[in-house]
């Protein structure tokens, strides 16, 4: 992710997987939006850049890998 974010807007369980790592551009934080209160996003690929991690929205975020981010907001 060099610029932008990951958006999960659907109800129910959603999954992001199959990557060896998810990286962020130089100094860019990770932005994850799970907007539907009835929805969830499971991420099984690791976030490999040591940057800030920002989760927003009423849905549930599930991280299933060892990650390298530095701060969670």
């Amino acid at each position: 992710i060099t610029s932008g974010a990951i958006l999960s807007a659907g109800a129910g369980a959603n999954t992001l997987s199959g990557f060896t790592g998810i990286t962020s551009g130089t100094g860019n934080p990770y932005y994850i939006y799970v907007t539907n209160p009835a929805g969830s996003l499971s991420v099984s690929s690791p976030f490999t850049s040591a940057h800030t991690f920002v989760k927003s929205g009423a849905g549930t975020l599930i991280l299933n890998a060892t990650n390298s981010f530095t701060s969670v907001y």
Side-chain angles (χ1 to χ4, degrees):
I1 304 168
T2 56
S3 178
I6 296 172
L7 170 65
S8 177
N14 300 285
T15 302
L16 178 63
S17 63
F19 301 96
T20 56
I22 301 170
T23 61
S24 179
T26 304
N28 294 329
Y30 296 104
Y31 290 101
I32 312 294
Y33 299 94
V34 187
T35 59
N36 192 319
S40 66
L41 175 62
S42 293
V43 182
S44 297
S45 299
F47 291 92
T48 56
S49 298
H51 298 302
T52 301
F53 188 92
V54 180
K55 187 270 182 188
S56 184
T60 301
L61 177 63
I62 303 162
L63 302 176
N64 296 316
T66 301
N67 297 287
S68 298
F69 49 80
T70 56
S71 301
V72 178
Y73 296 96

